[in-house]
Amino acid sequence: MSIITALFRGRLGGFSLDARFDVPARGVTALFGPSGCGKTTVLRCVAGLTRLSDAALRVDGDVWQDGRRRFVPPHRRPVGYVFQEASLFPHLSVTDNLRYGQKRVRGETDRVAFDDVVALLGLARLLDRPTAVLSGGERQRVAIGRALLSQPRLLLMDEPLSALDRASKEDILPYLERLHDTLEIPVLYVSHDIAEVERLADTLVLMEAGRVRAVGPLADLLADPTLPLARLPEAAEVMEAEVVAVDAAYGLSTVAVPGGRLVVPGVAGDPGTRRRLRILAADVSLRRTATAEGESSILNVLPARITGAEPAGNHLMTVFLALGDDGTGAPLLARITRKSWDLLGLAPSQPVYAMIKGVALLDRG
Amino acid sequence: MDAMTQAIQLTVTLALVTTGILMLVGTPIAWWLARSKAWWKEILGAVVTLPLVLPPTVLGFYLLIAFGPNSPLGQAATAVFGQALPFSFEGLVVASVIYSLPFAVQPLRNAFEAIGDRPLEVAATLRASPLDRFVTVAIPLARGGFLTGAVLSFAHTVGEFGVVLMIGGSIPGETKVLSIAIYDYVETLQWGKAHILAGGMVVFSFLVILTVGLAGKRLDWRRGPG
């Protein structure tokens, strides 16, 4: 399996970076952490825009840097870089911006074709406009297209949505998800917004003060009791689901997740479609016994096992669960009061029923 | 050809040649001053700016000595140009290039600095080599600086007097430029001719400043398409 192996160590100004990680070179890998934790610096090092002497980088078997011995300059690295601000060339038209990188890739056939990018990112209307009249969201879409057309083997995105307002963000996210589904280019995605990460990432590199705290599949890290993610007020778990049936009369769909079945709002797609779900810890409560049909308005009551628990603040508990009678299904988080925990006499490894009040479908089917 | 036309023609030729050379020489100097992180770059920056504040006679005096027949530099120049530089057109060109250097370098440096790192980094990630980035990104984005630098260099060369007087003298068709001609007309009490040339210079200078001001605004990328 192709893999990205990175080590970047050194001082930049007053900041000390010591980041190492191995991640699969496929899907979306999010570099996540608070502002100033060094995630952008890591991305710049991967692109070769920042050069540390104590560094090693190997992508798909190719050595891009090996300490001082080998350093491939940025223009010889097959990366596409999307910066926080679109940074379009003001002296070029939208089309010439898009073609800038494409023209410079020699001796390779285009894996990403111009027309495909235009269709994928909805750029057809923009091609003849001067860059100065584009909106923030449009500019960023052009910048993404420009990066894709340089035929990258690795796409680097540095908080591409953070400079945009809420509406533009919502406008672009579906394009990013489509990118994820259509193109087979691995992505390193820097973000400090966990909601964005939950929507897009497959693998997570959790960073803290210039160091890598944890690396792993997103779902595993979100529900890892040793990491700070499960302690966030907006703690949530994501899981992959497959559509089983659609109840058009009620506008609901049934999906299968590891360890159970869930009813989700809307038509989730044809049976067999794969969707990503997010369940907030605050939307999950617990009971000792199953509910009979017609006893509760909550449709999703699933057997699960408690795998752990810890206090969250003064009056709450974060409960770590695994779905299924035997607790071999997908991990899940629940946030309940400490009083409930004691009243129900809950304890690790106990079987319980998780009542799930809200399930969000994250991507478009 | 009468003396007045000859002086105008010589001045324009000198200014054009000087501007051309300055664009070629000044661009790499300005680029280096804008991009380098070397601690001593401001020392070179000060040396390049020196002609701006030095009295032209001081500059002319040292150039005269430097290019004199007894100096190694003068002997080298004589070998290259086939004649001694002082009191020749070639000598005027060399002196003008040095004299007008800050007028070319400063606007270019400002324009290059205003681009910032980002557009060049973007180009690098889009496979553009350093030279490619310079030609396809830096030069177009600094076009306002090129126009300002070229116009100021041209105008400043047209207006020079002290340096020419020191190193060029007043040889008709060779070193007798406009400003010298005006001086000579006044000395010989030919007020009419002095008026024509002097008045012409006032109009020319006004148009130059106006052009730079208007074009500078039009060519600013941050204000939208030019």
Side-chain angles (χ1 to χ4, degrees):
Chain A
M1 186 181 68
S2 56
I3 205 162
I4 299 167
T5 308
L7 156 69
F8 301 113
R9 201 158 43 184
R11 296 194 67 83
L12 286 159
F15 178 75
S16 144
L17 184 73
D18 184 356
R20 309 145 193 253
F21 56 87
D22 291 2
V23 291
R26 70 179 148 68
V28 177
T29 298
L31 293 166
F32 175 78
S35 296
C37 70
K39 47 197 194 302
T40 294
T41 308
V42 167
L43 208 65
R44 291 180 58 85
C45 288
V46 172
L49 295 174
T50 295
R51 183 174 183 170
L52 297 173
S53 51
D54 192 2
L57 176 63
R58 194 183 268 273
V59 177
D60 234 354
D62 291 343
V63 177
W64 289 5
Q65 187 173 3
D66 179 12
R68 292 174 197 276
R69 282 183 295 282
R70 181 168 167 76
F71 178 82
V72 179
H75 66 279
R76 299 233 171 81
R77 299 188 184 195
V79 298
Y81 202 117
V82 179
F83 292 84
Q84 213 164 341
E85 319 81 35
S87 313
L88 301 183
F89 296 125
H91 60 296
L92 298 179
S93 68
V94 169
T95 305
D96 288 342
N97 264 284
L98 286 170
R99 292 216 189 264
Y100 189 92
Q102 191 187 28
K103 278 196 295 199
R104 285 166 172 77
V105 187
R106 271 154 295 191
E108 290 174 47
T109 47
D110 286 359
R111 278 164 296 159
V112 184
F114 188 83
D115 293 339
D116 293 346
V117 166
V118 168
L120 184 72
L121 293 165
L123 301 176
R125 279 182 319 114
L126 311 179
L127 291 178
D128 298 325
R129 297 200 203 160
T131 55
V133 303
L134 302 185
S135 73
E138 290 169 340
R139 299 174 69 80
Q140 198 58 288
R141 265 153 54 199
V142 174
I144 294 168
R146 181 174 65 177
L148 287 174
L149 282 169
S150 71
Q151 314 298 323
R153 276 171 48 205
L154 178 62
L155 187 61
L156 307 173
M157 303 184 104
D158 185 7
E159 310 210 24
L161 304 182
S162 70
L164 303 177
D165 56 51
R166 189 151 202 90
S168 309
K169 248 185 227 189
E170 289 305 318
D171 176 38
I172 280 200
L173 267 165
Y175 290 109
L176 291 184
E177 285 162 0
R178 225 187 288 169
L179 210 79
H180 184 188
D181 300 336
T182 348
L183 300 174
E184 297 209 320
I185 303 170
V187 181
L188 280 185
Y189 190 101
V190 162
S191 179
H192 67 270
D193 179 353
I194 191 69
E196 230 172 87
V197 171
E198 286 164 354
R199 254 176 104 154
L200 297 171
D202 305 305
T203 306
L204 187 62
V205 176
L206 183 64
M207 289 193 64
E208 233 173 51
R211 269 147 229 280
V212 173
R213 174 81 190 268
V215 184
L218 173 69
D220 294 359
L221 265 50
L222 283 175
D224 186 328
T226 65
L227 297 177
L229 294 171
R231 296 187 198 115
L232 293 171
E234 67 271 35
E237 180 56 299
V238 297
M239 54 190 81
E240 299 301 324
E242 194 182 315
V243 178
V244 177
V246 174
D247 180 352
Y250 282 112
L252 297 172
S253 305
T254 303
V255 300
V257 296
R261 285 183 172 200
L262 288 165
V263 176
V264 299
V267 176
D270 297 330
T273 311
R274 298 199 68 80
R275 300 292 302 266
R276 180 182 290 200
L277 309 177
R278 183 188 61 204
I279 300 170
L280 287 167
D283 282 343
V284 179
S285 46
L286 302 177
R287 53 180 293 144
R288 297 291 302 264
T289 52
T291 49
E293 202 149 320
E295 202 180 280
S296 166
S297 68
I298 291 175
L299 293 170
N300 292 312
V301 182
L302 277 72
R305 255 179 213 269
I306 296 175
T307 55
E310 63 171 32
N314 187 32
H315 64 286
L316 292 174
M317 294 284 285
T318 301
V319 184
F320 300 90
L321 303 160
L323 288 178
D325 291 314
D326 49 359
T328 55
L332 186 69
L333 296 172
R335 193 150 286 158
I336 61 172
T337 59
R338 204 149 53 81
K339 182 171 181 180
S340 307
W341 174 266
D342 288 340
L343 281 176
L344 270 65
L346 299 175
S349 83
Q350 212 168 31
V352 285
Y353 289 85
M355 305 205 296
I356 303 167
K357 213 163 62 177
V359 180
L361 288 167
L362 287 185
D363 48 2
R364 317 197 140 189
Chain B
M1 186 160 40
D2 73 331
M4 212 190 304
T5 321
Q6 199 177 38
I8 293 174
Q9 200 178 46
L10 180 67
T11 306
V12 170
T13 310
L14 174 67
L16 282 177
V17 172
T18 302
T19 305
I21 294 174
L22 274 177
M23 286 299 102
L24 290 178
V25 174
T27 303
I29 296 176
W31 179 248
W32 186 83
L33 286 173
R35 306 286 308 172
S36 168
K37 292 184 175 66
W39 62 269
W40 50 279
K41 79 167 181 180
E42 288 310 331
I43 296 177
L44 183 83
V47 170
V48 170
T49 315
L50 213 49
L52 195 64
V53 286
L54 277 182
T57 43
V58 171
L59 200 64
F61 173 63
Y62 282 123
L63 286 174
L64 195 59
I65 290 178
F67 293 136
N70 297 326
S71 88
L73 200 61
Q75 283 155 5
T78 307
V80 171
F81 293 102
Q83 66 179 101
L85 282 181
F87 310 111
S88 72
F89 179 76
E90 289 78 3
L92 275 196
V93 170
V94 173
S96 301
V97 164
I98 295 171
Y99 179 55
S100 295
L101 192 59
F103 290 82
V105 169
Q106 204 54 50
L108 282 174
R109 178 181 176 175
N110 291 344
F112 286 144
E113 281 173 350
I115 296 173
D117 292 337
R118 183 48 55 80
L120 299 163
E121 287 184 349
V122 171
T125 63
L126 293 169
R127 313 282 188 283
S129 68
L131 181 66
D132 188 358
R133 305 201 274 273
F134 179 72
V135 173
T136 62
V137 177
I139 289 182
L141 288 183
R143 61 179 189 171
F146 278 93
L147 182 80
T148 310
V151 171
L152 288 181
S153 302
F154 186 88
H156 190 241
T157 306
V158 166
E160 74 180 86
F161 177 71
V163 178
V164 182
L165 200 64
M166 294 297 281
I167 201 166
S170 177
I171 306 163
E174 181 76 20
T175 63
K176 188 169 181 171
V177 294
L178 261 176
S179 54
I180 304 283
I182 295 174
Y183 184 75
D184 283 354
Y185 287 136
V186 174
E187 286 282 275
T188 54
L189 301 177
Q190 301 185 61
W191 295 97
K193 287 182 173 172
H195 261 305
I196 295 172
L197 289 184
M201 285 296 284
V202 170
V203 173
F204 167 75
S205 306
F206 174 75
L207 289 177
V208 164
I209 293 166
L210 193 66
T211 310
V212 170
L214 293 178
K217 263 186 194 158
R218 256 187 68 80
L219 293 187
D220 190 341
W221 292 109
R222 279 157 295 186
R223 285 166 199 264

